[in-house]
Amino acid sequence: MQTQADVLALLATNLVFSVKIAPLVVVVATLVRSALLLTGRKRAFVSWTRNTILSFATIIFLPGMLVNTAVRYGVCSLFGIDLEGIGGGSTYAELNLFLKVDRPPKVAVLVSALYVSTVASVFIGFTLLFLPVVLLLGSPIVILCWYMALCVLFNSSLRGGDVQLLGAALQKHPGRGMAELLIALAVLIVFYAFVGVGL
């Protein structure tokens, strides 16, 4: 009974923590991926990839990419975004999974969906990090959960598909879309000004 209470308390605390830490996780993960991206070759392909380091990282952290994509897909479906499927890009041999849409959504809806899915991914990542300790699980399971947590958090960066989708939404709704984007950013800035971005 006590363990159940501990798990519920952990999940509630982790949800609040995930909301507060999500922007920092996205910024750090994006900076790390950008730094790896800049190590690649700028010109013609010499081998199968322009960027061996980023390709290696992509393979190592692939489970997190799949989790994040599944979360993004589910959240976007709940927000009524017309999903055409899941596509992939091969820039620098990186599996850049992103959502393809038949009709770009309103900017406000898209930003809300991206924010909720990001918080959900961060929540999953930190839950995998702390829950095994609370449940007193064995060492192999703890290590596996920590590996999955690192994979999810590493892939919680800003994706090329997100930028493309936002660009398509702005292009379809130029005036109103820009206003919605500015309002959404203002709301997030005010929100985090009050709650803070904590560790």
Side-chain angles (χ1 to χ4, degrees):
M1 189 69 178
Q2 183 62 35
T3 302
Q4 185 177 4
D6 291 341
V7 170
L8 292 176
L10 171 67
L11 293 177
T13 303
N14 186 29
L15 180 58
V16 175
F17 178 72
S18 298
V19 170
K20 295 179 67 174
I21 202 69
L24 184 60
V25 172
V26 171
V27 169
V28 171
T30 301
L31 288 176
V32 170
R33 295 179 70 88
S34 298
L36 293 177
L37 187 64
L38 291 174
T39 64
R41 302 183 183 94
K42 306 271 190 269
R43 298 180 181 275
F45 287 91
V46 175
S47 59
W48 69 281
T49 176
R50 295 186 192 182
N51 195 321
T52 305
I53 297 176
L54 184 56
S55 301
F56 182 73
T58 299
I59 294 170
I60 292 297
F61 298 119
L62 180 61
M65 183 183 298
L66 299 178
V67 170
N68 283 347
T69 302
V71 170
R72 183 69 52 85
Y73 193 92
V75 170
C76 287
S77 297
L78 290 175
F79 273 73
I81 298 176
D82 297 322
L83 304 176
E84 190 179 83
I86 298 178
S90 58
T91 304
Y92 291 92
E94 180 186 17
L95 280 175
N96 186 16
L97 299 181
F98 57 89
L99 298 175
K100 297 187 295 184
V101 294
D102 187 26
R103 294 182 300 276
K106 293 182 179 179
V107 173
V109 173
L110 175 59
V111 172
S112 299
L114 292 178
Y115 175 75
V116 170
S117 62
T118 298
V119 171
S121 293
V122 172
F123 174 77
I124 291 172
F126 282 107
T127 298
L128 289 170
L129 203 60
F130 298 123
L131 191 59
V133 178
V134 174
L135 296 178
L136 302 176
L137 300 178
S139 181
I141 298 179
V142 170
I143 293 175
L144 177 61
C145 288
W146 286 357
Y147 162 69
M148 286 296 299
L150 186 60
C151 289
V152 172
L153 295 174
F154 177 80
N155 282 283
S156 296
S157 60
L158 185 64
R159 315 293 296 188
D162 302 337
V163 177
Q164 290 178 0
L165 190 52
L166 179 59
L170 286 171
Q171 194 171 24
K172 183 178 180 182
H173 314 282
R176 180 177 177 178
M178 183 57 69
E180 290 179 356
L181 178 60
L182 293 176
I183 291 172
L185 292 177
V187 169
L188 288 175
I189 289 172
V190 171
F191 175 72
Y192 281 101
F194 279 101
V195 304
V197 179
L199 292 173

